Amino acid sequence: MLKPPEHQVAGHRAQDGQLGPLVDGCGIFYKPLQGDGRGDAEVAFYISLFSHPAVPPHILSFFPGFHGTLVLPASDASGPRPHLALDDLLAGLRSPSLIDFKIGGRTWPPDCPEDYFQKCIVKDRESTSVALGFRVSGVQIQDPAGADAFWRPSRAAVRRYMVKDVRRVLRQFVSADPPSPDQKPDCALASAVYGGPDGVLAQLMELKAWFEEQTLFHFYSASVLLVYEKDAAVAAAGQQAGKPSGVRVKLVDFAHVMEGQGVIDHNFLGGLCSLIKFMSDVLNDPEAGGRESIKVQLSCEDGSLENLGI
């Protein structure tokens, strides 16, 4: 009983006869292998990641569990096709709020085909990738009106996000009130979701510490996926103080991972530092409402950030 993922916000979707991922309802996510070597490269990365003795176990928990490959009927009715079998990162969640960040000021790998380079550089320049080192690829936020009600901007709208839009959506993502262009986000769940020992920032800082040392891989066009359910976050923010908010932080999409060759991945590290900075702003100044304009300059040499107040 394979079906398209109900809450997918980025990537190719298995709808209208198109090729896309499927889920089985039992905790497995099946991603069709991409052509022109990208699918094989992603399989090779997962095998290398989960077998490499230098990758700490706590870091492996940030990646989807890998269960090999399986030949399944493709969602576009093109016949049998090999699929990656991965953990379904949304398994067990009924009403998840999630946001996908494409990390890196540069999303194309070295020696990629010219047409792919041109496609990537246009997206990077027309979004916040170059300016901030990351961009929003997709977002879904549960509407308090009901467990099955969601606010999900169109992909066209998300592609046009500029810095002010990123600031606002980061606040909307942790607000208890319905997302509205006319209402200032209340950021009522910021401490429960972004803060705390198990919150997003703590987990991102753990990833950052690894990227400051690891020289095994360089990640191009990979994403950080954040997932939580508002009911758990409200409980954590309310009377049940100290209750885990159930936030999940995962890395996804590895068709363009390259060998690190002993060099730190400053492109990914810089984008990760920038994302941490923007989320810290929400946590430290939830009343700002995203109105301040702080220009963030990334250093591709060491992944550091320089804030230029304007």
Side-chain angles (χ1 to χ4, degrees):
M1 297 295 294
L2 300 175
K3 61 181 182 179
E6 182 180 358
H7 301 292
Q8 184 180 349
V9 297
H12 302 287
R13 295 178 181 172
Q15 60 184 21
D16 301 326
Q18 299 181 54
L19 184 65
L22 302 165
V23 293
D24 62 4
C26 298
I28 302 297
F29 177 95
Y30 299 98
K31 180 179 180 180
L33 265 63
Q34 296 173 279
D36 60 26
R38 287 182 289 173
D40 292 337
E42 190 161 18
V43 172
F45 165 74
Y46 273 107
I47 293 173
S48 176
L49 175 75
F50 281 95
S51 63
H52 205 295
V55 180
H58 72 279
I59 292 299
L60 290 178
S61 67
F62 287 104
F63 294 83
F66 173 59
H67 306 283
T69 60
L70 189 66
V71 176
L72 298 170
S75 61
D76 62 355
S78 60
R81 186 185 187 97
H83 288 65
L84 275 167
L86 306 168
D87 283 350
D88 181 357
L89 301 180
L90 304 184
L93 301 181
R94 178 187 172 191
S95 306
S97 293
L98 58 150
I99 187 166
D100 182 298
F101 299 99
K102 188 74 68 178
I103 305 295
R106 164 184 171 172
T107 59
W108 69 93
D111 302 324
C112 67
E114 178 66 20
D115 59 341
Y116 186 78
F117 162 76
Q118 292 295 339
K119 181 175 71 173
C120 287
I121 199 169
V122 168
K123 288 183 179 180
D124 292 350
R125 288 175 174 173
E126 291 182 349
S127 67
T128 62
S129 288
V130 172
L132 303 182
F134 71 91
R135 68 174 181 257
V136 177
S137 292
V139 60
Q140 169 179 290
I141 301 175
Q142 183 188 354
D143 191 320
D148 298 321
F150 298 97
W151 176 78
R152 181 188 288 177
S154 69
R155 293 193 176 190
V158 171
R159 282 196 295 267
R160 294 193 297 269
Y161 276 7
M162 293 291 99
V163 176
K164 64 180 179 62
D165 304 304
V166 172
R167 289 187 179 279
R168 184 171 183 84
V169 80
L170 282 173
R171 284 169 162 79
Q172 289 176 325
F173 190 65
V174 291
S175 291
D177 54 3
S180 168
D182 303 318
Q183 182 176 337
K184 178 181 174 181
D186 62 25
C187 298
L189 306 178
S191 294
V193 177
Y194 291 158
D198 300 313
V200 171
L201 282 171
Q203 295 184 56
L204 291 181
M205 291 299 291
E206 191 175 354
L207 270 176
K208 175 178 174 286
W210 183 61
F211 272 94
E212 288 173 336
E213 298 179 352
Q214 78 89 15
T215 59
L216 302 172
F217 309 108
H218 284 190
F219 294 81
Y220 297 96
S221 200
S223 291
V224 167
L225 182 68
L226 310 183
V227 185
Y228 81 101
E229 285 194 297
K230 284 199 173 184
D231 289 347
V234 168
Q239 295 180 356
Q240 302 179 47
K243 182 180 176 65
S245 60
V247 177
R248 303 179 184 183
V249 176
K250 300 291 182 179
L251 298 180
V252 296
D253 296 337
F254 310 114
H256 301 289
V257 177
M258 310 292 291
E259 291 186 9
Q261 299 181 341
V263 177
I264 288 175
D265 186 357
H266 295 298
N267 178 60
F268 194 95
L269 175 60
L272 192 59
C273 289
S274 181
L275 180 58
I276 289 170
K277 168 65 172 63
F278 271 68
M279 287 188 176
S280 296
D281 287 347
V282 178
L283 189 61
N284 296 330
D285 192 8
E287 296 300 319
R291 294 189 299 273
E292 283 79 3
S293 178
I294 302 295
K295 186 175 181 181
V296 178
Q297 179 172 302
L298 295 178
S299 169
C300 291
E301 296 301 319
D302 59 7
S304 65
L305 297 174
E306 180 181 355
N307 296 331
L308 305 175
I310 55 175

